Amino acid sequence: MSESIEPGRNEAMSVDDAWAAVQTGLNYVSWLAKDFLCAGVSRDDLEAEGRIGLFEAALRFDPSHGAQFLTYASFWSRRRMQAFVARYARVVRRPASRTRTARDPGDVSIDQP
C-alpha cells in the first residue's frame, strides 16, 4: 500500500492518491498481462488496459474494508484485459483444406451419399 493512502478514511480517494496507488501496481499489471498473450493481442495494449483497470480500482478502493490495494485492483485489471481480449483477439479459423471433403472439393450436399 502507498504511504499516501490513510487506512482509516471513509471518503473517496483523491486523484493524486489514486495515481500513487496505480504507480505501486504497474509491475503487477505486467505480470497479469502474461496470462492473456496467447490470445494474439499486443502486450502493450494489454498492459494499457490493465493500468486503466488499476486506476478505476484506485478510485473505487476503500482501505477501511481491510483489503490490500493490489488484491482489490487485480479484479479490475483482469476484467479490463479480458474485455479487451474479447473485443480484439484473433479468431481461430479452420483452414480451407479442412472444410471440404476429400471426394468433392466443391459444395457439399446432404443428398450426396
Side-chain angles (χ1 to χ4, degrees), residues 2 4-5 9 13-24 54-61 69:
S2 174
S4 62
I5 303 172
R9 14 179 236 134
M13 189 180 295
S14 72
V15 173
D16 290 335
D17 289 345
W19 183 249
V22 167
Q23 296 301 313
T24 64
L54 272 180
F55 194 72
E56 185 176 352
L59 293 175
R60 296 172 181 258
F61 182 63
F69 173 70

Side-chain angles (χ1 to χ4, degrees), residues 38-107:
C38 61
V41 293
S42 161
R43 184 181 191 112
D44 291 336
D45 291 340
L46 280 172
E47 289 181 12
E49 287 296 316
R51 286 185 209 113
I52 293 169
L54 272 180
F55 194 72
E56 185 176 352
L59 293 175
R60 296 172 181 258
F61 182 63
D62 184 4
S64 66
H65 291 288
Q68 291 184 356
F69 173 70
L70 284 181
T71 303
Y72 179 77
S74 65
F75 167 79
W76 294 99
S77 292
R78 278 186 181 277
R79 181 177 177 213
R80 292 290 300 213
M81 286 189 244
Q82 286 171 340
F84 181 79
V85 166
R87 281 191 313 264
Y88 298 108
R90 64 177 174 240
V91 177
V92 177
R93 301 188 190 277
R94 293 184 70 184
S97 62
R98 300 279 184 181
T99 58
R100 295 189 173 124
T101 63
R103 288 185 305 158
D104 185 17
D107 293 332

Side-chain angles (χ1 to χ4, degrees), residues 16-34:
D16 290 335
D17 289 345
W19 183 249
V22 167
Q23 296 301 313
T24 64
L26 292 179
N27 289 336
Y28 185 66
V29 166
S30 296
W31 183 79
L32 283 176
K34 72 176 174 45

